[in-house]
Amino acid sequence: MMSFIKKDLLVIKANLKTFLIILVFYIIMGLTMEDGFDMTFLLPFISVMLFISTFSYDEFNNWNAYSVTLPDGRRNAVRGKYLASFLILLITSIIALISSMGIGVYKETFRLEETLISLFSAITAMVFVLSIMYPIIFKIGIEKGRILVMGIIFGWTFLIATLGKLIGPSFLADVGTFIDNWYYIVLPFFICITIGISYLISIHIYLKKEF
């Protein structure tokens, strides 16, 4: 399985220069803009977008047809994708936290709890997106998968907004307060459940897929 992870990390490494340029650019913006800039969401989001490119690389080079011939290749291909992407997400989240702390200290606006809540929320959102994308991409491929995922995300956003209007702002405020108070329990629990369900679906799809 390590070879699958290393393969994806090497693909990401090829785009590392782009990531570093974006990082420096937004650090400068964070230091110079009066209202600052939220690094805690941006960097995890960029890392996810970079990692999704590994699926395009796999399809272009017919990697999937080769990987299934390896010992336990189908399961390791899925495990490798999940582990490598979450490793990249973890690393970029740490970089985002350090960058936000540095900018906040420099501008005397740093608030640890607010930064952690923002970062954990961003990680949860990115894990949710990945957990939706992976089964879809494994099923129909990266090109069609991107379109379908965007439709699902927009549909989900519309559904949440509609429910928010029907339920009322007071209920949403109570939910927000609950998450703010218990985010260190609620968000990890949500992440674990989401990843677990997504992984089981992806394994089921990939074991039956023909290449």
Side-chain angles (χ1 to χ4, degrees):
M1 184 175 63
M2 289 303 299
S3 59
F4 288 84
I5 297 175
K6 289 180 180 178
K7 183 268 299 180
D8 285 331
L9 294 181
L10 287 174
V11 175
I12 292 294
K13 184 180 179 181
N15 297 316
L16 186 60
K17 184 181 294 185
T18 302
F19 176 79
L20 292 176
I21 292 174
I22 294 173
L23 173 61
V24 171
F25 175 75
Y26 281 109
I27 287 177
I28 294 174
M29 287 185 61
L31 291 172
T32 56
M33 291 177 60
E34 182 177 348
D35 296 331
F37 199 87
D38 189 6
M39 303 285 288
T40 55
F41 176 82
L42 178 73
L43 296 188
F45 174 78
I46 292 175
S47 72
V48 168
M49 294 301 101
L50 287 175
F51 194 84
I52 293 302
S53 66
T54 63
F55 284 95
S56 298
Y57 174 88
D58 291 347
E59 289 189 4
F60 180 79
N61 292 280
N62 296 317
W63 165 257
N64 293 315
Y66 170 74
S67 66
V68 297
T69 65
L70 301 174
D72 205 17
R74 290 180 182 268
R75 292 184 183 276
N76 285 332
V78 176
R79 291 169 185 161
K81 284 294 182 185
Y82 277 82
L83 291 175
S85 61
F86 295 134
L87 177 61
I88 293 296
L89 180 58
L90 176 62
I91 293 173
T92 53
S93 296
I94 293 173
I95 295 174
L97 177 60
I98 295 173
S99 301
S100 296
M101 290 175 62
I103 293 172
V105 170
Y106 175 79
K107 302 183 71 172
E108 298 181 350
T109 59
F110 177 65
R111 300 290 185 274
L112 179 60
E113 185 173 0
E114 293 178 6
T115 301
L116 289 177
I117 293 175
S118 177
L119 180 62
F120 288 161
S121 299
I123 293 173
T124 303
M126 294 304 102
V127 168
F128 180 71
V129 171
L130 287 175
S131 297
I132 293 176
M133 289 191 71
Y134 280 177
I136 293 174
I137 293 175
F138 283 128
K139 180 67 176 179
I140 64 176
I142 181 63
E143 297 304 325
K144 295 180 181 178
R146 283 173 176 167
I147 298 174
L148 183 56
V149 168
M150 291 301 295
I152 291 174
I153 291 175
F154 281 120
W156 178 262
T157 303
F158 176 78
L159 177 63
I160 295 297
T162 303
L163 288 176
K165 291 180 180 179
L166 294 175
I167 295 173
S170 60
F171 176 78
L172 294 179
D174 291 339
V175 172
T177 301
F178 176 78
I179 294 176
D180 287 344
N181 293 333
W182 298 96
Y183 69 92
Y184 51 87
I185 296 177
V186 174
L187 298 186
F189 177 79
F190 179 81
I191 287 174
C192 291
I193 294 297
T194 304
I195 293 174
I197 295 174
S198 174
Y199 173 75
L200 291 176
I201 295 174
S202 295
I203 284 287
H204 178 75
I205 292 171
Y206 207 71
L207 287 176
K208 294 185 176 183
K209 190 170 184 178
E210 298 292 336
F211 294 101

